[in-house]
């Protein structure tokens, strides 16, 4: 499922870049360069454009706050920590021959616990903020947003529950539940709201490359 998601992401990104490169001139038509990739990564990592021009974003009233930006950070970096945890555990198991379960002080457990907690808090916070948002700021056809945040929260929450209860009789049921949620997440990821962050990154790369070329 993960490999299929990677393939689907690659195909979508390739088609996206082909669609946008037409207006970028022959220099940019060859694809993004390393400087643009780095600049786009820096802007995406800081969520530079989710800052409301410096004063924050509006949500439920006319007082702008940085809450949504913080929740995005928790969700994004929590997800990366969980991905790093899984990658680390895979390497420890198949390369080093160290079989699970791993101790609480190990890299997979620390990354998974704190990453899962951050991702769950961030996703639940974003879902709550969406429910409280002023109607004029809400997309009436926003079911994709809800499904995305709920699936992230489910991945994080079931992972935390599995970690905390792994020595109890509930471990088998929780493992099946967690793996099922993760499987569904990766199968649906290339076709849902998940890709918005990756396409935004490519848009930032395009902007950096275009700005440098025109100046």
């Amino acid at each position: 499922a993960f490999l299929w998601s990677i393939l689907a992401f690659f195909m979508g990104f390739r088609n996206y870049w082909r669609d946008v490169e037409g207006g970028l001139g022959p220099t940019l038509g060859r694809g993004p360069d390393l400087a643009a990739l780095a600049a786009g990564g820096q802007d995406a990592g800081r969520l530079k454009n989710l800052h409301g021009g410096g004063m924050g974003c509006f949500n439920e009233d006319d007082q702008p706050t940085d809450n949504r930006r913080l929740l995005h950070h928790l969700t994004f970096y929590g997800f990366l920590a969980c991905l790093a945890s899984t990658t680390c555990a895979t390497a420890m198991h198949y390369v080093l021959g160290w079989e699970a379960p791993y101790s609480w002080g190990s890299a997979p457990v620390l990354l998974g616990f704190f990453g899962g907690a951050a991702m769950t808090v961030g996703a639940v916070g974003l879902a709550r903020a969406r429910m409280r948002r002023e109607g004029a700021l809400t997309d009436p056809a926003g079911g994709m947003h809800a499904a995305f945040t709920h699936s992230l929260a489910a991945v994080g929450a079931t992972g935390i529950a599995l970690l905390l209860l792994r020595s109890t009789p509930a471990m088998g049921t929780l493992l099946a539940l967690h793996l099922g949620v993760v499987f569904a997440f990766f199968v649906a990821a290339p076709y849902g709201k998940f890709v918005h962050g990756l396409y935004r990154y490519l848009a930032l790369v395009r902007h950096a490359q275009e700005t440098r070329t025109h100046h």
Side-chain angles (χ1 to χ4, degrees), residues 13-48:
F13 298 160
R14 181 191 60 182
N15 293 336
Y16 170 82
W17 194 263
R18 285 178 177 176
D19 287 341
V20 301
E21 71 179 2
L24 302 183
T27 302
L28 297 181
R30 293 194 296 267
D33 56 44
L34 292 178
L37 291 171
Q42 184 179 35
D43 290 343
R46 293 186 295 119
L47 291 179
K48 175 182 176 182

Side-chain angles (χ1 to χ4, degrees), residues 80-176:
L80 289 184
C82 289
L83 189 61
S85 171
T86 302
T87 303
C88 184
T90 301
M92 291 170 65
H93 181 87
Y94 291 105
V95 177
L96 301 178
W98 300 346
E99 296 186 357
Y102 302 112
S103 68
W104 275 96
S106 65
V109 173
L110 290 175
L111 287 169
F113 179 78
F114 289 107
M119 184 169 66
T120 303
V121 170
V124 171
L126 287 172
R128 180 173 179 270
R130 176 172 174 77
M131 292 174 62
R132 299 178 60 186
R133 186 173 303 173
E134 173 65 30
L137 302 176
T138 303
D139 179 6
M144 186 183 294
H145 301 268
F148 173 56
T149 51
H150 292 167
S151 64
L152 282 176
V155 170
T158 56
I160 293 293
L162 175 61
L163 183 61
L164 294 176
L165 300 174
R166 61 181 177 173
S167 299
T168 72
M171 186 269 188
T173 301
L174 288 172
L175 178 61

